[in-house]
Amino acid sequence: MNAFSGFYKKNIQERIEILKKERGISDDEAKVLLDSGALDLDTANRMIENVVGINHLPLGIVPGFVINGKEYVVPMCIEEPSVVAGAAKAAKLAAKCGGFTADADEPVMTGQVQLVGISDDALEKFNFNKEEIAVKAKELASGMEMYGGGYKECEAHILDTSRGKMLIAIFYVDVRDAMGANTINTLLEGIAPLLEEKIGGKVRLRILTNLATKRKARAKCVWKKEVVGEDAIEKMLDGYEFAANDIYRCCTHNKGIMNGVDAVAVATGNDWRAVEASVHAYAAMDGYKPLNKFYKDENGDLVGEIELPLTVGTVGGAINTSPIAGISLKILDVKGAQELSMVMAAVGLAQNFAALNALSTVGIQKGHMKLHAANLAVAAGAKEDEVKNVVEKMVEKNDYSTEAAKEILEKLRGG
Ligand code: HMG
């Protein structure tokens, strides 16, 4: 039997015991998990400014994500109920159908340098001096070469704006397993004087773009009709078409995808604002569209596909500072940033499968409210061994208010 089966029915201590056995979590790491992440105030105070406290988020686990034949145990940090359960359900159904396939581009980050006050021949000057500019750029990003990355190429174009023409020089750097912000921004600031010297004009902004179209991850799954049900597939396709043709629905559709993607980004210490910005700009490149596709293949099975630009890393930044990020990456067992981005793409696709499946059949509230009821029970004062009974009664009464939770708890305690 799979060691993770029925994971969600176990208590926290039992779940941690499974992680110790199956994912090599040490006693110290288990202590960190049980100690709410063990981020101390001194560390927090070094991470950002004006610190006065620490805000915790729950860390949940979704076992059984089969991607390219490998079984992943996915950590997700999120405050919203039913996201983890939804991912678990979609992953389980996907595994019955052979799992996900996924791939990712080389981890190439893109940076931009803006030159204003340029002459009409600025672009020609850039192209004429490109070789020299490339040599300097390579030198500035040489720190990445020992990891197998480094400078890739550069190009430029002219923007005609209300403040005159500007030259935008673009640099591409393979940042390997880092998110890469520091590497690319250092290169951009370092190359700026040479650009001014060779092209003329004045350098203004020197910054990466989060729209990392050279750094995309893709995932695909064929959910079989025998597993999902032909009727459910038709309903889900109707739901997908709604998103593909209506921006108001599409926004929520993509939010559902990001429930999963962000939760993995947060668990692994990644910059989820960068991920959000990148993904939504990508969705809007040809008019705002769903980040994924659902269609029926010749067998009548449901095919789901997703492609996302993902600027995520497995080393550097908060990944090194946050104890939970290191443990999450250990649980996930990925070799580097590309593999992490593949997992995130698959989780995003799974999340949308779960939401579409629920929305187009029983509705979102049934599953969501059942899980939300557990929150209400805890807020009403229920202890761990009381939560299950309170939730059962709330579902029976179909009343998901705090008052109902309090009333049921009082009755259960003989009040
Ligand atoms: P269900 O089929 O009613 O429940 O799904 P079930 O009890 O039959 O369980 C089925 C499987 O779900 C289980 O299989 C688990 O894998 C998993 P089992 O292991 O029992 O053989 N599962 C759980 N996993 C962990 N903890 C749990 C748990 N319960 C079931 N407690 C479920 C219930 C909630 C999964 C389903 O209704 C669902 O997927 N709902 C959608 C959830 C969702 O998308 N939530 C996101 C929040 S809403 C939102 O923000 C996004 C949205 O607006 C996006 C959009 O509009 O597109 C919806």
Side-chain angles (χ1 to χ4, degrees), residues 8 80 82 85-86 89 92 249 252 255 259 354-355 359 364 371:
Y8 71 93
E80 192 175 8
S82 88
K89 179 175 175 177
K92 192 180 146 191
R249 169 60 204 148
T252 318
K255 186 271 180 187
N259 274 342
L359 284 167
I364 201 74
L371 296 166

Side-chain angles (χ1 to χ4, degrees), residues 4-9 15 61-63 78 80-93 96 243 249-257 259 350-359 361-371:
F4 284 93
S5 83
F7 193 72
Y8 71 93
K9 293 174 185 149
R15 290 177 195 147
I61 295 290
V62 182
I78 191 160
E80 192 175 8
S82 88
V83 170
V84 169
K89 179 175 175 177
K92 192 180 146 191
L93 297 181
K96 282 187 179 170
R249 169 60 204 148
C250 189
C251 171
T252 318
H253 176 102
N254 286 344
K255 186 271 180 187
I257 291 173
N259 274 342
Q351 210 69 59
N352 183 242
F353 173 94
L356 261 189
N357 185 262
L359 284 167
T361 56
V362 294
I364 201 74
Q365 288 304 80
K366 189 167 172 271
H368 190 73
M369 291 318 282
K370 195 165 108 186
L371 296 166

